[in-house]
Amino acid sequence: MNLTTCKKIGNNLTKAMKNKNISREELAEKIGISLSKLEKYLNGTSMPSLDILANICKTLCVSSNDILSILEIQEKMEIDMLAFNQIETNLVNAIKNSGMTESEIVDKIGASVLFLQQICDKKRLPPLYTFANLCRVLNADANEILCLPIKK
């Protein structure tokens, strides 16, 4: 992510916190991270992982799309279709290789079979919170699916 994108996400998080009337200290405690780590997200100097972002969104009762400004980010980052297709392929492979039935997966992520079929048919990508749940249920590494370098 570029610095402008991180700052935008930080601004969106700050607005959501104000709307929810929750302090930095309260949010950090509720999601189980240090205040200094949260402040890096709010200042736009760091980007939260998917699981932390999902916890933030759940705690603040906001959509990850609102926090991430998905459409703006997609345009700014100019995601090329090859990378986007690779993410879709990685996600579909994780679903197929899970050894779970569609019914088992949708029961565990709280979605419909149609929703899962649309993902498998590459007609849609799941929202971030559902993506995080899907990775957890499939025991899949989100960084690998998103083609991100894995930190060691």
Side-chain angles (χ1 to χ4, degrees):
M1 295 262 167
N2 64 34
L3 188 59
T4 304
T5 301
C6 287
K7 293 231 181 255
K8 174 90 172 163
I9 290 169
N11 290 338
N12 291 345
L13 284 171
T14 301
K15 287 176 193 172
M17 288 172 58
K18 284 181 183 176
N19 289 340
K20 187 73 173 169
N21 198 25
I22 188 170
S23 70
R24 293 173 177 223
E25 294 81 4
E26 288 176 285
L27 182 59
E29 184 178 322
K30 286 184 178 190
I31 62 173
I33 63 171
S34 68
L35 179 59
S36 63
K37 191 172 192 176
L38 177 63
E39 287 176 342
K40 287 180 183 180
Y41 305 149
L42 297 174
N43 295 330
T45 57
S46 184
M47 182 71 183
S49 63
L50 287 174
D51 58 328
I52 291 174
L53 187 60
N55 285 335
I56 290 171
C57 291
K58 185 176 179 182
T59 302
L60 297 176
C61 301
V62 295
S63 159
S64 57
N65 291 336
D66 294 336
I67 297 299
L68 294 174
S69 303
I70 294 292
L71 295 177
E72 291 177 35
I73 291 171
Q74 189 170 341
E75 289 169 9
K76 287 180 184 174
M77 290 177 62
E78 298 176 0
I79 297 175
D80 65 303
M81 288 310 293
L82 289 175
F84 199 73
N85 287 337
Q86 186 60 53
I87 292 169
E88 289 178 321
T89 299
N90 292 348
L91 184 56
V92 169
N93 288 340
I95 291 168
K96 289 180 179 177
N97 295 333
S98 71
M100 299 172 68
T101 66
E102 285 183 346
S103 296
E104 290 172 321
I105 295 171
V106 297
D107 285 345
K108 290 183 179 185
I109 65 169
S112 69
V113 172
L114 176 61
F115 179 81
L116 187 63
Q117 287 171 341
Q118 288 174 334
I119 293 170
C120 290
D121 293 341
K122 297 184 177 183
K123 292 182 179 173
R124 72 180 304 166
L125 284 175
L128 185 61
Y129 182 75
T130 305
F131 174 77
N133 275 337
L134 193 54
C135 288
R136 181 185 52 78
V137 167
L138 300 174
N139 198 26
D141 187 320
N143 289 322
E144 287 179 9
I145 291 173
L146 295 172
C147 309
L148 299 174
I150 299 172
K151 295 180 181 179
K152 293 186 179 188

